[in-house]
Amino acid sequence: MTTSRTRITKAVIPAAGLGTRFLPATKATPKEMLPVVDKPAIQYVVEEAVTAGLPDVLMVTGRNKRPLEDHFDRNYELEEVLRRKGDETKLTKVQESTDLATIHYVRQGDPRGLGHAVLCAAPHVGDQPFAVLLGDDLIDPRDPLLSRMIEIQAVYGGSVVALLEVDPENIHLYGCAVAKPTGDDDVVRVSDLVEKPSREDAPSNLAVIGRYVLDPAVFEVLRKTEPGRGGEIQLTDALQTLAADPSIGGPVHGVVFKGRRYDTGDRGDYLRAIVRLACEREDLGPDFQQWLRDFVAKEL
């Protein structure tokens, strides 16, 4: 068994997608840079990784993703303008993204799916377990999902996926887990995974959401994984192989998440995420909530 109990320090964020559901906004702007209130979505994800103790972040990017690098780089001209104006509040906000983490970049030259994007991280990750965070799922920092997943990986070894109970009508939008209980109320042992099954074929309503803690054995499995649904190399297929044979890289467990998750994967959910987060902000929430009440009362 190649299960590793090495302390996890590295996070991988696949960010090579074209964002076609948000066209025309994403024609020239990466979907990861779309603002959620006043921060780009990608910054929330990096902040989550750092909070979970993962200061080493690799972004898997593609063409037209240069704004991601610029956002996490220094902007000396802007900083100097703010410094001369004495605007320390905005200066601090600008510098926050620069100082968050040690961020590396690698290009996924050929967009061949999430599994292929994860495989692009192999030279950087090496033989250490690592986390994968997808930018479409924003997890509220008050509900530390990733920290819990890292904790479970340290106990059981192998890989850990994040699971969410969803309405059976929506299970076709997700990977779906076959699982059985463990001694922990929020942890299950995963024996099989099915990528986007129909409601009739779904083995459960446990959907895989965009957080993973993976054993490095996944890389060798991905190298042998044939393109699956959509002609892409699916991470779900590789995890299915690991779940079926724990001798390859340890077992696969799932943490069933019951906290606050903001789905920015489509336009409607993106708007709802902005409203929810804006309502909870101390500086924006009170006035925005009152406006929202008035708007609903008068317009709807």
Side-chain angles (χ1 to χ4, degrees), residues 222-293:
L222 284 169
R223 291 185 184 100
K224 299 175 182 177
T225 299
E226 295 294 328
R229 189 181 181 93
E232 298 181 335
I233 297 174
Q234 300 289 348
L235 180 59
T236 301
D237 291 342
L239 287 168
Q240 181 183 39
T241 299
L242 292 174
D245 186 358
S247 68
I248 298 174
V252 177
H253 286 83
V255 170
V256 182
F257 183 59
K258 298 185 183 296
R260 287 156 285 201
R261 166 183 175 251
Y262 309 107
D263 184 357
T264 61
D266 65 48
R267 291 169 296 178
D269 286 332
Y270 171 75
L271 292 173
R272 284 185 279 274
I274 292 174
V275 170
R276 289 172 65 187
L277 286 168
C279 284
E280 294 184 0
R281 286 268 294 262
E282 291 183 3
D283 57 337
L284 297 172
D287 288 343
F288 183 65
Q289 289 180 47
Q290 186 57 55
W291 175 86
L292 198 58
R293 291 189 193 98

Side-chain angles (χ1 to χ4, degrees), residues 149-272:
M149 295 173 68
I150 292 171
E151 177 185 322
I152 293 304
Q153 198 276 341
V155 173
Y156 293 103
S159 298
V160 182
V161 298
L163 301 174
L164 184 72
E165 293 185 75
V166 301
D167 189 314
E169 293 287 344
N170 296 324
I171 195 64
H172 68 283
L173 301 172
Y174 301 88
C176 177
V178 180
K180 60 182 181 181
T182 67
D184 296 292
D185 291 341
D186 63 335
V187 180
V188 294
R189 173 74 178 266
V190 177
S191 59
D192 197 8
L193 290 159
V194 182
E195 178 68 15
K196 297 182 178 179
S198 65
R199 177 181 179 176
E200 294 73 25
D201 296 332
S204 74
N205 71 330
L206 289 174
V208 180
I209 58 174
R211 297 295 181 271
Y212 309 83
V213 176
L214 302 177
D215 187 275
V218 74
F219 293 130
E220 189 57 35
V221 177
L222 284 169
R223 291 185 184 100
K224 299 175 182 177
T225 299
E226 295 294 328
R229 189 181 181 93
E232 298 181 335
I233 297 174
Q234 300 289 348
L235 180 59
T236 301
D237 291 342
L239 287 168
Q240 181 183 39
T241 299
L242 292 174
D245 186 358
S247 68
I248 298 174
V252 177
H253 286 83
V255 170
V256 182
F257 183 59
K258 298 185 183 296
R260 287 156 285 201
R261 166 183 175 251
Y262 309 107
D263 184 357
T264 61
D266 65 48
R267 291 169 296 178
D269 286 332
Y270 171 75
L271 292 173
R272 284 185 279 274

